[in-house]
Structures are given as C-alpha cells and as structure tokens.
Amino acid sequence: MSDSYLAAGTVGEPLANIAIFALFVAVTMVVVIRASRSNATASDYFTGGRGFSGPQNGIAIAGDYLSAASFLGIAGAIAVYGYDGFLYSIGFLVAWLVALLLVAEMLRNTGKFTMADVLSFRLRERPVRTAAALSTLTVSLFYLLAQMAGAGGLVALLLDIKSKTGQSVVIAVVGVLMIVYVLVGGMKGTTWVQIIKAVLLITGAALMTVMVLAKFGFNFSDILGSAQEAVSGSTSKAVASRDVLAPGAQYGANETSKLNFVSLGLALVLGTAGLPHVLMRFYTVPTAKEARRSVVWAIGLIGAFYLFTLVLGYGAAAIVGPDRILSSAGGQNSAAPLLAFELGGVILLGVISAVAFATILAVVAGLTITASASFAHDIYASVLKRGNADESAQVRVSRITAVVIGAMAIGLGILANGQNIAFLVALAFAVAAAANLPTIVYSLFWRRFNTTGALWSMYGGLISTIVLIIFSPAVSGTKSSMMPGSDFDWFPLSNPGIVSIPLAFALGVIGTFVGGRRPEDPEKAVEMEVRSLTGVGAEQAITH
C-alpha cells in the first residue's frame, strides 16, 4: 500500500482529481454549446437531425452503453467474486446480438423519435403511447439511479468524503451538470459527449489492461493465481473461502442463488433490446444500412472493453486486494480507481477517474434526453394535444421534463448510494426486458397482435417487475439492501427477470386473444411490415 494513501487517508491528490474533472467538464461543455447552435428543429433536438454516420453512432452507442456499471461495477464484481462477476460482462455483450438481429434495423425504419412511434404505428395510438412513455420513464429512472450511485461512490473515494451528506451533495452536482448538458445540447450535444467519452474510456481501459498484463509478464494465468491468493488471504472469512476462478462465489450457495443467476442472465441478455435510450440511438442515422453498421461497430467496441474488464477485475484482486477494495469509501465500485492508483499513481488515477466521471455524465445525459423526449413527444404532443403541438412546444416541454427527471434522479440516487451499480443496472434491464421487449417483438413480427395485447404486456411486465423488486432482498431484508433496517422481502430473488419476462410475453398473447380478432388497421399493418423490412416510407430512408 502506498505511503501517500496511508498519509492522506484518501486516494491520490484531491486537488489534482478535481482539476482533471473540471477540465473534462469544460471541454465537453464547449462541445455541447457548439453542437447546440444547429438545433433548429425538433428532429435536431431529439435525434441530432439523423445526421450521424454508422461508425459515429456505433461509438456513441458504446459510450451510452458502457456506463458506470460496466467500468466500476463489473470490475469490482470480478475483483470480489471472480467468475460470477464476469457474468455481467457476458450478459451485457450477448444482449447486443438480440438487438442486432431483432430490433435495430426494423426500429429505425418504423419510428421517428421514440420507441412509442413503433409500438403505436398500427395500434390505437393514445393508450399505447401512454404505456410506452411510462415504461420509458421507469427504465430511465432505474438506470439513472445506478449512475448517480456510481457518481457518489467514485467522488467519495477520490475526495475522501465519508459522510452520506457530502456524497449526497456530489450526486446533486452530477444531476445539475446532466440537466445542463441536455438543456443546452439536445441529442447532438449528448452524442458528441458520448463519442468523446467512449474513446477515452476504451483507451483508458486498454492502457490499464496492458499495464496489468505487463506487471505479470503478460501471463494471464499468473494474474488469476495471484488473485486467488489475495482472496484466500483476506481477513474476512466470507471472502477468504471463495474460489474466484470457479462459478459459485456469488450465486452458488443454494438453489435460490442459482435461480438468481438465471434470472439475472435473462434480464441482461433480453434487456438491451428494450432499453429506450439505446433504441433511440437508432433514429440518429439516416438509413437502415447505417443502423446496422452502428450496431456492428458497437458490438466490436463493447466486446473489446468487456475483455479488458476481465483483466482489470482479476488484476484489482491481485494488486489491490479485496479487503482494501471493500473497506474503501466506494466499496466494490472503487476497484478500478484503486487499481489505477497502484499502476500509475496520482496522474493515472485522476485520468481514469475523470473518464469514469465522464462515463456517468454522458450516460445520464443520454437517459435524460430519452425520457424527456418520450414525455414531450408521446404524452404531451400525441396524447394531451392529440398531435396538434408544434415542434417548438415539444422541445420546450422536453426541457422542462429534463429538469423534473433530473431532480427525481438526484433523490433516488441519494437513496441508492452505496449499492453495487452493476446490480442496480441489472434491475433496469429487467424492467426493459419485461415491459418493452415483448411488445416490440410482437408489434414487428405478429400481424394479429392488437392494442389489448400491447397494454397487457407492457403494464403487466412493468407492474410485475416493479412489485417484485420492491418486495425483494434488493430493497429490504439484508445488510446490502437499499433499506437495511426494514424487512418485507417475501420475494426471494434479487432480480425478478425469470418471473416477469415470461409473464409479460404470456400476457401479450393472452391479451391479444382476449381483445378478439378485431383488426386495428389492416392497411397500417401491411405498411408497417413493408417499412420495417425495406425502409420504404421511413423518414429519409434509402433502400439498399
């Protein structure tokens, strides 16, 4: 352990850390302001005018998707639990195959601004848009909650802020910055922030990976062996008894934990294709071909990054040690910053932490603009104003909504502070997989699917997931719960995906048959099928 760590009681130099943070915020704010100059229409504000190429959008998707959970949460989970922690990396990556094969191109061809554009295309517009907007807002809030918790833990570690009040102030500052990015830059500004952040994050992770491998003579087996030795030498009996090279350290204790493993895997693999902020990115490209290219680029970048997390996680266990990680201000989430400090001192720590902070800011900005666009376009313009709201009014309402959502995210982030953020993101994936994916798949591929089926599936998936989360160990009943002093966890699984996702798919089928054979709009159904497969009729679409 470094002398500066012992002497300062914190990691690195707080002034240096703050300076690097401030530099990143200043640079990205300039980029956002410059991008905002061309925000003339609602399409510019919500989708960047569909002016990004496939590679640009692919990098931005990677920036949007590689959240604080990917960098801080997964590295920490692997450092503490080993093999079981790597499940998050596998699940998050495999999920992109579902998105690529099932939704990316068809969604781009069928919609305009939001996910609800697709779901309401051939169904009764107002009830379906309302349900889709509520689902979007819920998923976005869960995801925001995870990012805010990550911000609190990261800055607490770097500035040695141990009090919950101080960490709450940090979360509030992140929330305010997020709101400013969205109000000023819209989707164009947010996209450029995500591109910058993706390049920095992947480059930083690659650099740290090479440094860890170099420390062990580029022998990955030595890293694994040293990690197991460090875990076995832990002062905690619970940690020391783990075999981090084999499955079961986190999910193998009993049948319930094994079910948790399956449930988490389902949520991760199926959740991506239902995440509104990821789906909205497909509208920022001009053609269906570019939508496909953007997903291919995203898969390549994300796949490389998750391979880096394997080295970083086990490297943190070997070099830093699980005891120091768990006893630090940020808990599990501090594994990557602590590893950076051991590898490169104050400078590398400051750079990597600034990248992690940038990760949080970029992702929360993307989530906020998605949620605010959904409310403005789906609820305000389509439901309340029945399609009679002009574009300037939609943008104005979206900005007001961004402020409200930002305030809610700050409050929920303070409540969730201290939780493992990879786990919190998995809850957002469970909501997305249950509330959105079944309806998207049925709308695109099942001509008989009707409004009743859509509403049963969306509301059933959304309500069942939320209820099961509230009454799960994630919220109460254990020391690591959000409310450790309470105990109302009658549902035994921390992630409800194994119940809520099949239930939502079943409710979509049952609701469709209950709704009868009454066709919603046969002509619209045919038009949707042709448009989704060819792009003919989509805004600025070009067939290839």
Side-chain angles (χ1 to χ4, degrees), residues 130-185:
T130 301
L134 287 173
S135 172
T136 297
L137 291 169
T138 305
V139 173
S140 298
L141 276 174
F142 265 102
Y143 219 115
L144 279 169
L145 181 146
Q147 305 310 312
M148 294 299 198
L154 176 66
V155 182
L157 171 75
L158 298 175
L159 306 184
D160 196 30
I161 301 173
K162 291 189 169 61
S163 72
K164 287 292 183 182
T165 303
Q167 293 176 23
S168 299
V169 172
V170 169
I171 290 171
V173 170
V174 173
V176 171
L177 282 172
M178 161 191 79
I179 293 167
V180 171
Y181 278 137
V182 173
L183 293 183
V184 174

Side-chain angles (χ1 to χ4, degrees), residues 417-451:
N417 190 19
Q419 297 284 309
N420 180 283
I421 47 185
F423 166 71
L424 291 174
V425 165
L427 296 182
F429 273 63
V431 177
N436 297 339
L437 183 62
T439 311
I440 292 171
V441 171
Y442 288 147
S443 294
L444 291 172
F445 296 102
W446 188 17
R447 191 179 291 189
R448 184 176 173 180
F449 189 58
N450 58 28
T451 300

Side-chain angles (χ1 to χ4, degrees), residues 153-241:
L154 176 66
V155 182
L157 171 75
L158 298 175
L159 306 184
D160 196 30
I161 301 173
K162 291 189 169 61
S163 72
K164 287 292 183 182
T165 303
Q167 293 176 23
S168 299
V169 172
V170 169
I171 290 171
V173 170
V174 173
V176 171
L177 282 172
M178 161 191 79
I179 293 167
V180 171
Y181 278 137
V182 173
L183 293 183
V184 174
M187 180 58 87
K188 279 186 180 177
T190 300
T191 298
W192 281 113
V193 171
Q194 287 164 343
I195 289 172
I196 294 169
K197 165 250 162 157
V199 172
L200 290 174
L201 178 62
I202 294 170
T203 302
L207 173 64
M208 285 180 63
T209 299
V210 171
M211 292 176 76
V212 170
L213 288 169
K215 201 173 182 70
F216 290 88
F218 291 92
N219 189 329
F220 188 57
S221 294
D222 285 353
I223 299 176
L224 297 178
S226 298
Q228 183 59 60
E229 286 178 16
V231 169
S232 300
S234 170
T235 55
S236 167
K237 290 182 179 179
V239 175
S241 63

Side-chain angles (χ1 to χ4, degrees), residues 87-129:
L87 168 70
Y88 288 102
S89 293
I90 299 298
F92 284 143
L93 178 60
V94 171
W96 275 103
L97 297 178
V98 179
L100 174 63
L101 296 174
L102 289 183
V103 301
E105 180 180 347
M106 291 183 170
L107 202 81
R108 155 65 191 69
N109 289 341
T110 312
K112 184 179 181 182
F113 289 156
T114 66
M115 177 184 73
D117 289 338
V118 177
L119 302 186
S120 64
F121 191 95
R122 61 183 178 88
L123 306 178
R124 293 205 304 277
E125 185 173 23
R126 297 180 72 204
V128 172
R129 279 195 184 274

Side-chain angles (χ1 to χ4, degrees), residues 220-468:
F220 188 57
S221 294
D222 285 353
I223 299 176
L224 297 178
S226 298
Q228 183 59 60
E229 286 178 16
V231 169
S232 300
S234 170
T235 55
S236 167
K237 290 182 179 179
V239 175
S241 63
R242 292 173 186 163
D243 179 0
V244 295
L245 304 183
Q250 186 175 12
Y251 295 110
N254 51 49
E255 292 304 316
T256 299
S257 66
K258 290 175 183 176
L259 275 177
N260 249 329
F261 183 90
V262 176
S263 189
L264 174 65
L266 269 177
L268 296 181
V269 170
L270 298 179
T272 296
L275 287 175
H277 70 291
V278 170
L279 299 178
M280 194 169 172
R281 293 231 55 89
F282 298 135
Y283 299 134
T284 65
V285 292
T287 66
K289 181 180 179 181
E290 292 301 303
R292 290 194 302 273
R293 288 183 71 202
S294 64
V295 177
V296 172
W297 270 77
I299 289 175
L301 293 170
I302 292 166
F305 179 84
Y306 283 138
L307 287 177
F308 297 154
T309 63
L310 187 62
V311 176
L312 296 179
Y314 278 116
I319 296 170
V320 181
D323 288 346
R324 185 175 161 201
I325 292 170
L326 293 171
S327 63
S328 66
Q332 277 187 47
N333 302 327
S334 65
L338 287 171
L339 177 62
F341 184 60
E342 290 298 323
L343 292 172
V346 172
I347 299 300
L348 184 61
L349 170 72
V351 171
I352 293 300
S353 300
V355 168
F357 196 66
T359 295
I360 293 166
L361 283 175
V363 174
V364 295
L367 287 162
T368 305
I369 194 166
T370 299
S372 60
S374 180
F375 182 85
H377 181 62
D378 298 325
I379 300 294
Y380 174 76
S382 300
V383 177
L384 299 180
K385 292 295 184 178
R386 298 176 181 269
N388 295 319
D390 60 32
E391 290 192 344
S392 61
Q394 289 187 54
V395 173
R396 185 176 66 253
V397 170
S398 176
R399 286 176 165 149
I400 294 170
T401 307
V403 176
V404 174
I405 290 169
M408 292 177 66
I410 289 169
L412 290 171
I414 291 170
L415 182 65
N417 190 19
Q419 297 284 309
N420 180 283
I421 47 185
F423 166 71
L424 291 174
V425 165
L427 296 182
F429 273 63
V431 177
N436 297 339
L437 183 62
T439 311
I440 292 171
V441 171
Y442 288 147
S443 294
L444 291 172
F445 296 102
W446 188 17
R447 191 179 291 189
R448 184 176 173 180
F449 189 58
N450 58 28
T451 300
T452 306
L455 296 179
W456 280 38
S457 179
M458 280 192 283
Y459 283 124
L462 182 63
I463 293 169
S464 64
T465 307
I466 298 298
V467 168
L468 293 178

